[in-house]
Structures are given as structure tokens and as C-alpha cells.
Amino acid sequence: MQNPVRGPALAWGLIAPSLLLTIFILAYPLSTLVFQSVHDISRFGLLRAFNGLDNFRTVFTDPVFAHVVWRTVQWTVCVVGGAVLCAVPIALILQQDFYGRGVARTIVMLPWAVSLTMTAIVWTWSFNGQYGMVNASLAMVGVIQEPINWLADGQLAFWVEVGVGILVSIPFTVTIFLGGLSSVSQDIYEAADIEGASRWRQFRRLTLPLLKPFIHMAIVLNVIYVFNSFPIIWIMTQGGPDNATHILVTWLYQLGFRMGRPGEAAAISLVMLALLLAFTVFYLRLQKRQSAKAAA
Amino acid sequence: MIRSDKLVRSLWCWLLLLPLVVVVIFPLAVMFFTALKPASEIYVYPARWLPQQWQWSNFSAMWTQTGFGRALLNSLLVSLCATVLTIAVSVPSAYALARLKFRGQGGYRQFLLITQMISPVLLVVGLFKMAASLPWFDGGNMTDSRLSVVIAYGAFGIAFAVWMMTSYFETIPRDLEESAWLEGSGPVRTVFKVFLPLALPAMAVTALVTFVNAWNEFAVVYTLIRSTEKQTLTVLVTNMVAGQYVVQWELVMAAAICAVVPVAILFAWMQRYMVQGLTAGSVK
């Protein structure tokens, strides 16, 4: 039976408020970004002149920029990859029936509840070279003799931040996989047990293929979140020391709000948007191909 | 026999989870023990885990010295208003997507997906400019106004809320609505008397997630809000750390605990509904 009220007018009427609000919050800032990116703007927001692609040229030729792009790639790949690799076994364990599972699930989910901001602040203090508990604990168990100045060295600081990034991405990823696992019926495992398939074989041949769409989804969503992730790096090192931990978002923030170069910041925003859009299109294509395959 | 089986399995599971448990508990322990140290025990080398003197008064000192209460109210106000805004505009959309068929349905879904990809941080330069160019009652503009933050959060919450609620709504059986129509109940009445009560749990979970996201957001509020009396908790705690010559870590951690605990409780309770929601959403 059909819904008695029909017609596109009603549907669009229902959708209009959300659509208008979204367009309002996207369209104006986007057009401003485009406008700013092709103008010379003073640090106080005063418009000086149209300068074509000068802002883009300045951004691209800045020696820091290439490093920032490369670091953004490293950041995104390592955090997303690390989170997915850790989350699969964790989800498989949490799926088991064992004593204290509820407690374990809650503990695994905790980093999600503690906001990125607070997480970053606590880790900043924990990784303090002299007074931090990371060094103190490592010294206590005898792993290190001398305190390590974690956040003072750019390379080291960046990998510390990658670690924190992975940690905070695990809960969301595990949640997706748990959802996926709970939709898998147990019968096929019983059948596999009867046929004498080993645990590892069951994982490779049954669990992994069944989890594939969920892994896919976790990767896509995490890439978006991690690529855009601002608080961890901004709070722990502000992109320093010596610009060695900047990724694109923190670099654009630095240019726009710290160094008074809003035109260049706008240019970076647009470059990032283009990258995300390319990724979205790629993802939609992939999804279409997969559903076509599933239908065939 | 079966019992001891489960016992062995439990030991294995916990053993395998141990590294993660340590890494999760570690910062929470740092938070807790630092918050209870007197100032004189903060900058001490080598650092110790436990305070020698447990200083519970750090919490009251933090409350009076930092303006925590005001920031807490701001966080509550901004997050609540943003949640109400998001839910108010998203419920009709989700209903339309789940129950009606119309041209442009697929297009609207794709539009939502794309907006989901655009994080507010990317637009932050533009958002700031927009707030600066919109006039406001007091003769100034909308930078440094909580309303601009509410609107931004409300709008950026839509994509997730619609997606989440549509997938829930689609699992609500149509039979009840159909029998209501057969009995002559009008469409509006049916929606309010039959559909919405069934959709309430979904709306509640979505509202909670939206609320927590707004509560934890950092970049937008950090950029738009300048005056201390309007800042939210994330900005307050960040400002206690950034640009200070000597950071009073015991107060920072006390503030962090107070900001985190309510949300953590909310989350622990909500988490199993999240698994259900994500499953319902992704199976299709």
C-alpha cells in the first residue's frame, strides 16, 4: 500500500529546511574562499587587489608546502591503516563470549568519549620530556635510561601524534566492525567447523570476505576524518618544532590565523576540497561498481 | 567443563586486549593523579605516579580560578541548541528519504554524502569571514557570537543525523502506519501518533551523538569565539595550556576530568545502541 500523501512537493517540502541550512553554511564560506584565494588580502582582512593565481603560486612554491603535503599523506595512510589493522583483531576478540566483555567493550570505546582536544592535552603532558609520566613509566620498567624529549624533535613528535591518532580512531572503527560481525550468522562457522576448516582458514575464507564492505566503509570514513583532523597536531605541537609536524589543515590554520595570510590559507582550503572531492568521486564510482557486481 | 572453557577463553581475550587497555587507561590515570597533586609536586623530577599529598581542593580551586562554570554553561547552551536545530531539520528529511519516493532522492543522498566530506575546518577561513560580514544586533558582527557557532554546528550535524535516522526509520515496519490509514487516521495524525513514537529511540541516539560532537568540537569555536565569557570547555582547557609561561597542570587536569566524565558516562550507556544503528545503516 502506498503512502496516502505523495508527490514531490511534499518530499521537497520536508527536505527544504535541512537542504537550505546546509547550503547556507557551505555556499557562503565556499564562495568567500574562492574570492579570497584569488585576491591579495592583508592580515586584517582588507582586500587589496585581484591577483589571479598568485596565492596558489606562493603556496605551491613555498618549500614547506611539499613537506606538509607528504606529511599529510603519511599521516592519513598511517593513522587509517593503523586503526583498521588494530581494529579487526579487537573487534574479533570483543565478538567472543567471555567474562567481562561488557567492561572490555566500554574500555575500548572510552577514547571516543574523551574529546580529541582533551586527549591531545593529556598526552602533551604525558609526553613531557622531564616531568611526563611516559618517560617516568618507561624508566620504571627499565626500557629507557635517559628521558626522551618526545615533542621537541619534529620527527619523533610526528610519530607520537600518529600513535595518538590511531588510538582515538580505534573505537569508531571497532564499532563499525562489530556491527558487521553481528550481522554474520554463526551457522556458517558451525558448518566450517564440521568440515574441519582451521581457525585461520575460517578467518581468511569467511570472516574477512564478510567484513570487506565494512572495512571499505571504515577506510573511507576514516580517511575523511583523519585527513581533516586538526586538534591533535595543533594542540600537541602547533605544527612545530620548525614546521616539522604540520599537515594541511594545521598549515592552513597557521597561515590564515597566525601568520596573517588568509589568501594563501583559502588557496590551501580549496586544494584540500579538490582532493576530498576527487576521493568522493572515486569512492562513489567504486561503490557503484561494487553494487553492480553484487547485482550481477 | 564448559565453564572452564569460557574461563580460559576469557583469560586469552583479556591478555590480548591488555596492550590496548593499558594505552587507554594510561592517559586517564595521568589525568586523575595529576589532578590530585599539589602544585609543588607537578614539576618534580623524576616524576611519580601517585601524589604524596592528595589535594582534592584542586577541583574547587579550578572551579573558582578558571571560570569553569561559565564555560560549562556555554558548552551546554551551544551543544543543546545545535542539537535541537539539527534534529528539527533532519527528522523531516529522514522521513522523506525513508518513506517517500521522489525525483532527486539519489541526488539528495549524494549531496549529503559530499557535505559529510567537507569538514568545518576546511571552511574555517570562510566561516570566519562569513561571520564577520553578517551584522548582529549589538551593532557588531557575528564573530564572537554563540549563535554563529550554534548555526555552524547545527548545519554540519545534518548529514550524519539524516543518514543515521534514515537507516533507522527504514527498519520501522510500515504495517502500523498502514493500518492507521485504513482506520481513517489522517497522514499528519499518523505521523505524530504512530510513526514518531516508534522513531523516538532513533532520534534520541542521533541527538546524543550530535550533542557529543558539538560538545567536543574545537576548531570552529576556537576560531569564532574570542572573548573569555563566551568560550566553551574545549577552548577554556586549551587556553589553560597554550601560551602560558607556566602551565598549572593540576588545574588543567581537574578541568579536563570535569569536562570528560559526563560525556564518558553518556557514551558508555549509548555505545551499544551505536553498534545497532551503524549496523542498520550499513547493511543495505
Side-chain angles (χ1 to χ4, degrees):
Chain A
M1 181 173 152
Q2 290 275 313
N3 195 326
V5 200
R6 278 184 301 156
L10 174 75
W12 285 105
L14 289 171
I15 282 169
S18 69
L19 191 62
L20 291 177
L21 186 55
T22 312
I23 289 176
F24 170 73
I25 211 70
L26 294 182
Y28 192 116
L30 265 178
S31 58
T32 319
L33 283 177
V34 173
F35 185 82
Q36 290 202 338
S37 71
V38 292
H39 283 83
D40 180 19
I41 296 158
S42 81
R43 58 167 55 238
F44 306 108
L46 275 177
L47 197 66
R48 286 201 280 244
F50 177 79
N51 67 356
L53 295 177
D54 275 3
N55 285 323
F56 288 90
R57 212 166 293 139
T58 319
V59 164
F60 289 145
T61 52
D62 187 335
V64 178
F65 184 72
H67 292 288
V68 172
V69 170
W70 171 232
R71 212 169 295 113
T72 310
V73 173
Q74 283 181 306
W75 164 258
T76 311
V77 171
C78 294
V79 173
V80 176
V84 171
L85 281 181
C86 295
V88 170
I90 293 167
L92 286 172
I93 295 171
L94 290 182
Q95 182 68 9
Q96 306 292 319
D97 176 30
F98 65 97
Y99 292 113
R101 181 168 74 161
V103 179
R105 279 196 181 196
T106 308
I107 292 175
V108 171
M109 296 303 159
L110 266 180
W112 199 355
V114 184
S115 70
L116 287 182
T117 319
M118 303 299 169
T119 306
I121 287 171
V122 178
W123 281 114
T124 309
W125 172 234
S126 308
F127 275 108
N128 184 299
Q130 248 186 307
Y131 310 110
M133 286 321 298
V134 172
N135 278 340
S137 306
L138 290 178
M140 219 152 61
V141 291
V143 178
I144 57 168
Q145 310 301 326
E146 291 290 304
I148 301 171
N149 245 329
W150 300 95
L151 300 179
D153 169 32
Q155 268 295 323
L156 196 56
F158 178 66
W159 292 109
V160 166
E161 286 161 347
V162 166
V164 175
I166 292 176
L167 179 68
V168 297
S169 307
I170 285 177
F172 173 71
T173 319
V174 168
T175 304
I176 293 180
F177 293 163
L178 278 178
L181 288 171
S182 68
S183 67
V184 175
S185 114
Q186 289 304 306
D187 305 353
I188 53 168
Y189 290 101
E190 282 166 24
D193 267 338
I194 292 166
E195 287 181 19
S198 72
R199 274 294 155 93
W200 175 242
R201 222 179 130 76
Q202 287 184 22
F203 173 73
R204 289 262 324 263
R205 290 301 174 87
L206 292 176
T207 313
L208 216 50
L210 287 166
L211 265 187
K212 218 171 132 190
F214 296 93
I215 293 177
H216 193 77
M217 176 175 140
I219 290 176
V220 170
L221 290 175
N222 272 320
V223 163
I224 297 162
Y225 295 148
V226 172
F227 182 74
N228 290 320
S229 175
F230 176 72
I232 295 175
I233 290 181
W234 187 257
I235 288 170
M236 290 186 77
T237 53
Q238 297 234 341
D242 198 21
N243 293 332
T245 54
H246 271 301
I247 58 170
L248 281 167
V249 251
T250 57
W251 183 236
L252 97 81
Y253 203 90
Q254 172 90 357
L255 286 176
F257 295 102
R258 290 289 181 273
M259 291 157 76
R261 286 146 71 179
E264 291 165 43
I268 295 183
S269 287
L270 292 180
V271 170
M272 288 184 72
L273 274 175
L275 288 174
L276 277 174
L277 209 63
F279 181 75
T280 314
V281 171
F282 169 75
Y283 165 66
L284 287 176
R285 284 257 171 86
L286 206 72
Q287 213 183 25
K288 208 175 264 174
R289 203 182 322 144
Q290 281 206 338
S291 56
K293 224 196 280 171
Chain B
M1 193 63 211
I2 295 168
R3 262 233 157 110
S4 77
D5 239 27
K6 188 172 170 181
L7 201 64
V8 171
R9 191 166 58 229
S10 303
L11 282 174
W12 268 111
C13 287
W14 276 104
L15 200 68
L16 290 170
L17 285 176
L18 192 67
L20 183 72
V21 171
V22 170
V23 182
V24 170
I25 301 292
F26 188 93
L28 301 176
V30 169
M31 233 184 207
F32 182 74
F33 291 126
T34 310
L36 290 169
K37 283 179 184 168
S40 58
E41 287 186 44
I42 295 294
Y43 294 102
V44 171
Y45 182 83
R48 273 185 306 267
W49 270 104
L50 300 181
Q52 287 180 314
Q53 192 193 336
W54 295 73
Q55 188 141 331
W56 291 93
S57 63
N58 280 342
F59 284 91
S60 53
M62 178 278 292
W63 188 277
T64 49
Q65 281 180 37
T66 61
F68 189 87
R70 203 174 42 204
L72 181 73
L73 276 181
N74 284 333
S75 275
L76 271 175
L77 185 76
V78 166
S79 311
L80 269 179
C81 293
T83 307
V84 170
L85 182 60
T86 302
I87 297 294
V89 299
S90 300
V91 169
S93 285
Y95 180 82
L97 281 179
R99 285 291 193 261
L100 303 175
K101 269 205 159 63
F102 56 98
R103 277 172 74 92
Q105 198 158 14
Y108 180 64
R109 275 181 201 265
Q110 291 203 350
F111 172 76
L112 283 179
L113 187 72
I114 290 172
T115 63
Q116 177 83 74
M117 308 230 159
I118 302 177
S119 133
V121 194
L122 284 187
L123 298 183
V124 94
V125 177
L127 281 171
F128 183 78
K129 183 81 184 145
M130 169 157 108
S133 63
L134 292 173
W136 188 230
F137 293 128
D138 57 8
N141 57 48
M142 278 187 65
T143 55
D144 204 28
S145 87
R146 278 159 289 198
L147 183 67
S148 57
V149 179
V150 167
I151 294 173
Y153 288 178
F156 280 109
I158 289 173
F160 176 79
V162 172
W163 176 68
M164 193 76 175
M165 286 194 290
T166 306
S167 59
Y168 264 110
F169 288 1
E170 281 170 347
T171 63
I172 298 173
R174 287 163 187 253
D175 309 2
L176 291 166
E177 285 161 84
E178 285 170 3
S179 54
W181 297 329
L182 285 177
E183 283 166 25
S185 167
V188 177
R189 210 184 131 83
T190 309
V191 166
F192 279 96
K193 290 279 168 179
V194 180
F195 183 80
L196 284 182
L198 289 170
L200 211 60
M203 285 154 61
V205 173
T206 311
L208 277 173
V209 177
T210 313
F211 180 87
V212 171
N213 282 343
W215 181 273
N216 288 340
E217 204 282 336
F218 174 63
V220 169
V221 70
Y222 184 60
T223 311
L224 289 182
I225 299 289
R226 286 293 137 106
S227 52
T228 43
E229 64 268 21
K230 291 177 190 162
Q231 68 192 3
T232 60
L233 285 176
T234 49
V235 179
L236 173 96
V237 181
T238 308
N239 285 345
M240 287 171 74
V241 177
Q244 305 288 332
Y245 185 63
V246 175
V247 181
Q248 293 177 289
W249 283 105
E250 72 284 4
L251 301 189
V252 173
M253 293 301 153
I257 288 178
C258 293
V260 159
V261 165
V263 183
I265 292 170
L266 208 63
F267 233 83
W269 171 69
M270 175 177 86
Q271 167 254 108
R272 59 204 173 101
Y273 301 104
M274 289 282 296
V275 176
Q276 288 167 7
L278 285 168
T279 321
S282 50
V283 165
K284 275 176 292 301

